[in-house]
Amino acid sequence: MSKPFKLSIENGVAELIFDKPPVNAFSSVEWAQIAAEIEALGTNDDCRVIIIAAEGRGFCAGVDIKELDANDSLIVKVNKGNYDTFKAIHINDKPVIVAVHGFVLGGGIGISGAADIIVASECATFAVPEVDRGAMGGGAHLQRMFPVQKVRYMYFTGLPIDAQEAYRLGAVERVVPREELLPVAREIAAAIAEKSPRMIALAKEALTGIEDGNLEDKYRSEQGFTLEAYQSPDSAESRDAFVNKRDAAFTEKK
């Protein structure tokens, strides 16, 4: 079975490059493949640092809404794939650098929020359109990147913020032209890869341990609300409207 990414390892740096046209939106099976690969890299002695980047128009558009519109029971498998992917990044022994360009949406936010370092191209934008797709999730990882009120603004409106605003708020390490994105990520990765793998693993475990709250527990709580949302007629209406490119007609009061 083909995978929605390319993988290479050189000089201790693994590069996992999303490559699923047109928008890097992944199915339930593909999310499971991504999670398994990142988890495997964590135990691969040839890998000291992981870079996650993408080909195409944007970094990641999240889940495949068309798959869920056709069969909403797959939300359980999608939720698991998302959870496993973000966890595999967050608690991986190896530092994870994400190099983002274009749109960073939904699951792309989860990946970025779970990572250790974010590098962004000047064209990158960050957004959580979950409410407009009849779902929940992503707030825990977004809140690891941005202040609480900014998270709520983004979540309630679905509006994006650009790379410079993300840099101003401290989520992004550097903002660079698109052609410099991977070279800069590789530069940072090479500096980390030169260090003791044992010391870096201990440092990551220590830093993760002193974070405020447990990211995986918080995200699991959000996923419960996603399942609740999927029981709502407005959730199905949101997905159908998105897939068919029409305005949604909501019926529920609250």
Side-chain angles (χ1 to χ4, degrees):
M1 180 181 295
S2 63
K3 296 179 180 179
F5 56 81
K6 298 177 289 188
L7 179 67
S8 63
I9 303 176
E10 186 174 349
N11 298 323
V13 178
E15 294 186 7
L16 190 152
I17 310 296
F18 296 145
D19 188 17
K20 188 193 175 185
V23 294
N24 292 319
F26 305 123
S27 70
S28 52
V29 170
E30 290 166 338
W31 277 110
Q33 291 175 325
I34 293 166
E37 196 68 65
I38 295 170
E39 187 174 353
L41 288 172
T43 60
N44 186 336
D45 291 339
D46 292 333
C47 170
R48 294 189 175 191
V49 185
I50 301 167
I51 294 174
I52 301 176
E55 301 283 1
R57 290 161 46 193
F59 176 69
C60 178
V63 304
D64 185 346
I65 299 296
K66 292 181 179 179
E67 177 187 54
L68 290 170
D69 185 53
N71 182 0
D72 63 10
S73 70
L74 287 173
I75 187 59
V76 176
K77 288 183 67 175
V78 169
N79 269 355
K80 178 170 172 50
N82 282 167
Y83 180 90
D84 289 346
T85 298
F86 308 157
K87 182 180 179 181
I89 294 169
H90 184 234
I91 66 169
N92 202 296
D93 283 348
K94 316 296 170 61
V96 179
I97 301 167
V98 295
V100 302
H101 74 282
F103 43 78
V104 184
L105 304 172
I109 291 290
I111 290 169
S112 300
D116 299 289
I117 298 168
I118 302 171
V119 181
S121 73
E122 294 167 334
C123 65
T125 58
F126 301 83
V128 277
E130 268 72 0
V131 167
D132 294 331
R133 307 291 185 265
M136 300 288 117
H141 296 85
L142 197 67
Q143 200 161 297
R144 195 166 178 259
M145 299 166 64
F146 303 121
V148 171
Q149 281 79 13
K150 176 61 75 174
V151 169
R152 295 189 180 211
Y153 166 81
M154 294 175 68
Y155 213 104
F156 295 159
T157 66
L159 295 174
I161 65 170
D162 62 24
Q164 289 293 348
E165 176 70 352
Y167 176 81
R168 185 185 74 83
L169 292 169
V172 170
E173 177 62 28
R174 297 190 206 174
V175 179
V176 299
R178 175 74 177 93
E179 64 271 15
E180 296 179 21
L181 185 61
L182 261 178
V184 167
R186 289 167 179 159
E187 173 191 323
I188 296 170
I192 298 170
E194 291 178 352
K195 302 183 185 300
S196 160
R198 177 59 177 160
M199 293 302 105
I200 291 296
L202 285 173
K204 179 160 181 178
E205 184 178 0
L207 292 170
T208 300
I210 61 173
E211 288 182 357
D212 181 21
N214 183 296
L215 181 62
E216 283 68 45
D217 286 350
K218 289 189 285 189
Y219 183 55
R220 180 65 83 193
S221 174
E222 284 190 88
Q223 289 191 316
F225 286 98
T226 293
L227 290 175
E228 183 175 340
Y230 264 62
Q231 297 171 18
S232 157
D234 279 358
S235 178
E237 171 64 10
S238 296
R239 290 189 300 280
D240 187 72
F242 173 75
V243 169
N244 291 292
K245 296 181 172 59
R246 62 173 176 79
D247 291 335
F250 300 121
T251 58
E252 296 182 295
K253 297 297 183 183
K254 64 176 182 178

